[in-house]
Amino acid sequence: MLELTVVPAATLTFWTFVGLATIACLFMAWSLGANSNSPPFAPAIGANAVSTLRAAFLIGILAAAGAVTQGGSISETVGAELISGVAITPLAATTGLLVAATFMSFGVYSGYPVPAAFATTGAMVGVGLSLGGEPAFGTYRRIVTFWLLVPPSSGGIAFLTAKLLRRDDIPETVGVPVLAAVVAGILANIRLGVIPHPDRSQGSVAELVSHALGSPTVLGVDLSVVGATVVFAALGFQFIRRKVVASVERGIRSFLLVLGGIVAFSSGGSQVGLATGPLEALYGTELGLPSVVLLVIGASGILAGAWMGAPRLLQATSREYAQLGVRRSIAALVPGFVIAQAAIALGIPISFNNIIISGVIGGGLAAGSAGVSRRKIGVTVLFWVLTLVTSIGIGFGFYRLLSTLLGTS
């Protein structure tokens, strides 16, 4: 005889909010996969190094892999360090994600890219304050300082990179492989969740080698870390140099394709926390699940977004990069990789739009013209500031409205 189980109202309400919050997380991750994770491959498409559909396929795989292996630190910052004194409830997480996703949708509709990091951070601060939490001013100072440093850093690195690639006295058989060596050396030191570390959840290849060899040091410098970095740099230099010597154009396109893949991986690691961070307390504390479960959910949303929504954006942005040329495209992507990895290491939520646009401007200035409308830049910056400020207010008011209507306040 079939027995019906009566679910307590409080439990049913809790699981309903868990379901809504997870759906909101997936929607946010889908939006990130369709928008924020796509630009790294646009230069390679513009240079005819890869087709649009193949690029979308690669973006999904690489960004999802980056989300699972590198997304933990930023997810923790967004979910637990923006507000003090309270834990983010399922309703608060759902509210914050809906506010952030709405801002992103408005940006797509209006034609002005909305920085997901600004919208998500503002929305979560707003709902956290509405919950009765205290502002975490130390975290805000750390985040805002990093954000303010992004434009000059990204633009400056792009400017120097473009200058290096344009110098007549530095042949491209040397300049491009040198950049590849720098990128490969950094790769040896990026932190991945699949590499164990004695003191934290993520380690790097260089640290793994150092640990295996007993961490020999001279004057405080770990020789194994330095050695592993040099080996990676040498391999990167030799790989790209062989391609460039055989054919300059094909070699540069190969580097552009590899660079796009690395930046797409980094973007997954840095962006997934914007979707999963608001659910950190729910999944970790209330459901008792390991953080990798939440990262896999976010990675699945990014994968779906990249495969379903990225082709259209890639076709549009690749035309803009095609106008830049492959060399200035490389100059725009190099700082994207460096800054994204720095942000992941520090647990800082960042905007890839901010990094890439700053890099494009820096690369453009190296050629004597920014190639970007000053009015467009001014309106975009104003739009970003308004996004941060208004998302705080809307997050605060929207959560207060929903909690009152649902009787949870």
Side-chain angles (χ1 to χ4, degrees), residues 356-376:
I356 295 296
I357 289 176
S358 300
V360 168
I361 293 172
L365 289 173
S369 171
V372 178
S373 163
R374 291 184 178 180
R375 180 182 178 279
K376 178 85 173 181

PDB file of all heavy atoms in Angstrom, residues 356-376:
ATOM      1  N   ILE A 356      39.786  43.705 -20.656  1.00  0.00           N
ATOM      2  CA  ILE A 356      39.967  43.630 -22.113  1.00  0.00           C
ATOM      3  C   ILE A 356      39.865  45.017 -22.758  1.00  0.00           C
ATOM      4  O   ILE A 356      40.673  45.381 -23.619  1.00  0.00           O
ATOM      5  CB  ILE A 356      38.926  42.682 -22.730  1.00  0.00           C
ATOM      6  CG1 ILE A 356      39.166  41.243 -22.223  1.00  0.00           C
ATOM      7  CG2 ILE A 356      39.012  42.725 -24.243  1.00  0.00           C
ATOM      8  CD1 ILE A 356      40.488  40.644 -22.632  1.00  0.00           C
ATOM      9  N   ILE A 357      38.866  45.813 -22.335  1.00  0.00           N
ATOM     10  CA  ILE A 357      38.719  47.150 -22.912  1.00  0.00           C
ATOM     11  C   ILE A 357      39.950  47.998 -22.605  1.00  0.00           C
ATOM     12  O   ILE A 357      40.459  48.723 -23.470  1.00  0.00           O
ATOM     13  CB  ILE A 357      37.432  47.826 -22.395  1.00  0.00           C
ATOM     14  CG1 ILE A 357      36.214  47.132 -23.004  1.00  0.00           C
ATOM     15  CG2 ILE A 357      37.416  49.314 -22.745  1.00  0.00           C
ATOM     16  CD1 ILE A 357      34.887  47.649 -22.480  1.00  0.00           C
ATOM     17  N   SER A 358      40.465  47.921 -21.373  1.00  0.00           N
ATOM     18  CA  SER A 358      41.678  48.666 -21.012  1.00  0.00           C
ATOM     19  C   SER A 358      42.858  48.193 -21.860  1.00  0.00           C
ATOM     20  O   SER A 358      43.696  48.999 -22.302  1.00  0.00           O
ATOM     21  CB  SER A 358      42.001  48.475 -19.524  1.00  0.00           C
ATOM     22  OG  SER A 358      40.951  48.924 -18.712  1.00  0.00           O
ATOM     23  N   GLY A 359      42.939  46.872 -22.095  1.00  0.00           N
ATOM     24  CA  GLY A 359      44.017  46.344 -22.920  1.00  0.00           C
ATOM     25  C   GLY A 359      43.913  46.805 -24.363  1.00  0.00           C
ATOM     26  O   GLY A 359      44.934  47.121 -24.998  1.00  0.00           O
ATOM     27  N   VAL A 360      42.700  46.844 -24.892  1.00  0.00           N
ATOM     28  CA  VAL A 360      42.504  47.313 -26.271  1.00  0.00           C
ATOM     29  C   VAL A 360      42.931  48.768 -26.402  1.00  0.00           C
ATOM     30  O   VAL A 360      43.592  49.161 -27.376  1.00  0.00           O
ATOM     31  CB  VAL A 360      41.025  47.141 -26.681  1.00  0.00           C
ATOM     32  CG1 VAL A 360      40.738  47.875 -27.989  1.00  0.00           C
ATOM     33  CG2 VAL A 360      40.690  45.667 -26.819  1.00  0.00           C
ATOM     34  N   ILE A 361      42.589  49.575 -25.406  1.00  0.00           N
ATOM     35  CA  ILE A 361      42.976  50.992 -25.435  1.00  0.00           C
ATOM     36  C   ILE A 361      44.495  51.124 -25.362  1.00  0.00           C
ATOM     37  O   ILE A 361      45.107  51.893 -26.116  1.00  0.00           O
ATOM     38  CB  ILE A 361      42.310  51.749 -24.266  1.00  0.00           C
ATOM     39  CG1 ILE A 361      40.796  51.792 -24.470  1.00  0.00           C
ATOM     40  CG2 ILE A 361      42.867  53.167 -24.163  1.00  0.00           C
ATOM     41  CD1 ILE A 361      40.040  52.343 -23.271  1.00  0.00           C
ATOM     42  N   GLY A 362      45.141  50.371 -24.454  1.00  0.00           N
ATOM     43  CA  GLY A 362      46.597  50.437 -24.336  1.00  0.00           C
ATOM     44  C   GLY A 362      47.293  50.002 -25.612  1.00  0.00           C
ATOM     45  O   GLY A 362      48.239  50.661 -26.068  1.00  0.00           O
ATOM     46  N   GLY A 363      46.817  48.916 -26.225  1.00  0.00           N
ATOM     47  CA  GLY A 363      47.396  48.470 -27.486  1.00  0.00           C
ATOM     48  C   GLY A 363      47.173  49.477 -28.600  1.00  0.00           C
ATOM     49  O   GLY A 363      48.042  49.690 -29.452  1.00  0.00           O
ATOM     50  N   GLY A 364      46.006  50.126 -28.575  1.00  0.00           N
ATOM     51  CA  GLY A 364      45.715  51.135 -29.588  1.00  0.00           C
ATOM     52  C   GLY A 364      46.607  52.357 -29.460  1.00  0.00           C
ATOM     53  O   GLY A 364      47.072  52.909 -30.458  1.00  0.00           O
ATOM     54  N   LEU A 365      46.896  52.781 -28.233  1.00  0.00           N
ATOM     55  CA  LEU A 365      47.770  53.934 -28.022  1.00  0.00           C
ATOM     56  C   LEU A 365      49.188  53.663 -28.532  1.00  0.00           C
ATOM     57  O   LEU A 365      49.889  54.587 -28.963  1.00  0.00           O
ATOM     58  CB  LEU A 365      47.815  54.284 -26.531  1.00  0.00           C
ATOM     59  CG  LEU A 365      46.536  54.907 -25.960  1.00  0.00           C
ATOM     60  CD1 LEU A 365      46.647  55.054 -24.446  1.00  0.00           C
ATOM     61  CD2 LEU A 365      46.278  56.261 -26.617  1.00  0.00           C
ATOM     62  N   ALA A 366      49.626  52.414 -28.495  1.00  0.00           N
ATOM     63  CA  ALA A 366      50.962  52.069 -29.000  1.00  0.00           C
ATOM     64  C   ALA A 366      51.076  52.322 -30.487  1.00  0.00           C
ATOM     65  O   ALA A 366      52.171  52.553 -31.009  1.00  0.00           O
ATOM     66  CB  ALA A 366      51.272  50.602 -28.696  1.00  0.00           C
ATOM     67  N   ALA A 367      49.925  52.293 -31.185  1.00  0.00           N
ATOM     68  CA  ALA A 367      49.928  52.550 -32.627  1.00  0.00           C
ATOM     69  C   ALA A 367      49.613  54.001 -32.942  1.00  0.00           C
ATOM     70  O   ALA A 367      49.438  54.364 -34.099  1.00  0.00           O
ATOM     71  CB  ALA A 367      48.919  51.633 -33.315  1.00  0.00           C
ATOM     72  N   GLY A 368      49.508  54.843 -31.903  1.00  0.00           N
ATOM     73  CA  GLY A 368      49.267  56.263 -32.119  1.00  0.00           C
ATOM     74  C   GLY A 368      47.814  56.652 -32.039  1.00  0.00           C
ATOM     75  O   GLY A 368      47.487  57.823 -32.117  1.00  0.00           O
ATOM     76  N   SER A 369      46.939  55.696 -31.868  1.00  0.00           N
ATOM     77  CA  SER A 369      45.516  55.995 -31.766  1.00  0.00           C
ATOM     78  C   SER A 369      44.854  54.943 -30.927  1.00  0.00           C
ATOM     79  O   SER A 369      45.128  53.750 -31.064  1.00  0.00           O
ATOM     80  CB  SER A 369      44.863  56.028 -33.159  1.00  0.00           C
ATOM     81  OG  SER A 369      43.462  56.113 -33.023  1.00  0.00           O
ATOM     82  N   ALA A 370      43.975  55.347 -30.057  1.00  0.00           N
ATOM     83  CA  ALA A 370      43.299  54.384 -29.205  1.00  0.00           C
ATOM     84  C   ALA A 370      42.348  53.511 -29.988  1.00  0.00           C
ATOM     85  O   ALA A 370      42.097  52.376 -29.641  1.00  0.00           O
ATOM     86  CB  ALA A 370      42.523  55.111 -28.092  1.00  0.00           C
ATOM     87  N   GLY A 371      41.812  54.035 -31.100  1.00  0.00           N
ATOM     88  CA  GLY A 371      40.894  53.243 -31.904  1.00  0.00           C
ATOM     89  C   GLY A 371      39.547  53.037 -31.240  1.00  0.00           C
ATOM     90  O   GLY A 371      38.738  52.252 -31.705  1.00  0.00           O
ATOM     91  N   VAL A 372      39.327  53.721 -30.149  1.00  0.00           N
ATOM     92  CA  VAL A 372      38.065  53.594 -29.422  1.00  0.00           C
ATOM     93  C   VAL A 372      37.550  54.997 -29.141  1.00  0.00           C
ATOM     94  O   VAL A 372      38.309  55.883 -28.757  1.00  0.00           O
ATOM     95  CB  VAL A 372      38.244  52.825 -28.097  1.00  0.00           C
ATOM     96  CG1 VAL A 372      36.916  52.747 -27.352  1.00  0.00           C
ATOM     97  CG2 VAL A 372      38.800  51.442 -28.363  1.00  0.00           C
ATOM     98  N   SER A 373      36.259  55.219 -29.344  1.00  0.00           N
ATOM     99  CA  SER A 373      35.656  56.529 -29.140  1.00  0.00           C
ATOM    100  C   SER A 373      35.786  56.980 -27.689  1.00  0.00           C
ATOM    101  O   SER A 373      35.503  56.218 -26.768  1.00  0.00           O
ATOM    102  CB  SER A 373      34.176  56.469 -29.536  1.00  0.00           C
ATOM    103  OG  SER A 373      33.479  57.561 -29.002  1.00  0.00           O
ATOM    104  N   ARG A 374      36.240  58.262 -27.490  1.00  0.00           N
ATOM    105  CA  ARG A 374      36.335  58.790 -26.124  1.00  0.00           C
ATOM    106  C   ARG A 374      34.963  58.859 -25.481  1.00  0.00           C
ATOM    107  O   ARG A 374      34.810  58.629 -24.281  1.00  0.00           O
ATOM    108  CB  ARG A 374      36.980  60.179 -26.149  1.00  0.00           C
ATOM    109  CG  ARG A 374      38.458  60.163 -26.520  1.00  0.00           C
ATOM    110  CD  ARG A 374      39.047  61.558 -26.439  1.00  0.00           C
ATOM    111  NE  ARG A 374      40.472  61.541 -26.750  1.00  0.00           N
ATOM    112  CZ  ARG A 374      41.238  62.633 -26.760  1.00  0.00           C
ATOM    113  NH1 ARG A 374      40.699  63.816 -26.478  1.00  0.00           N
ATOM    114  NH2 ARG A 374      42.518  62.535 -27.045  1.00  0.00           N
ATOM    115  N   ARG A 375      33.973  59.205 -26.285  1.00  0.00           N
ATOM    116  CA  ARG A 375      32.610  59.267 -25.740  1.00  0.00           C
ATOM    117  C   ARG A 375      32.169  57.880 -25.282  1.00  0.00           C
ATOM    118  O   ARG A 375      31.570  57.719 -24.217  1.00  0.00           O
ATOM    119  CB  ARG A 375      31.652  59.801 -26.806  1.00  0.00           C
ATOM    120  CG  ARG A 375      30.207  59.900 -26.323  1.00  0.00           C
ATOM    121  CD  ARG A 375      29.269  60.395 -27.414  1.00  0.00           C
ATOM    122  NE  ARG A 375      27.898  60.435 -26.943  1.00  0.00           N
ATOM    123  CZ  ARG A 375      27.109  59.375 -26.882  1.00  0.00           C
ATOM    124  NH1 ARG A 375      27.576  58.206 -27.288  1.00  0.00           N
ATOM    125  NH2 ARG A 375      25.879  59.494 -26.441  1.00  0.00           N
ATOM    126  N   LYS A 376      32.496  56.858 -26.100  1.00  0.00           N
ATOM    127  CA  LYS A 376      32.118  55.484 -25.736  1.00  0.00           C
ATOM    128  C   LYS A 376      32.798  55.078 -24.429  1.00  0.00           C
ATOM    129  O   LYS A 376      32.180  54.461 -23.559  1.00  0.00           O
ATOM    130  CB  LYS A 376      32.551  54.540 -26.863  1.00  0.00           C
ATOM    131  CG  LYS A 376      32.256  53.062 -26.603  1.00  0.00           C
ATOM    132  CD  LYS A 376      30.867  52.696 -26.998  1.00  0.00           C
ATOM    133  CE  LYS A 376      30.646  51.181 -26.905  1.00  0.00           C
ATOM    134  NZ  LYS A 376      29.306  50.798 -27.317  1.00  0.00           N
TER     135      LYS A 376
END
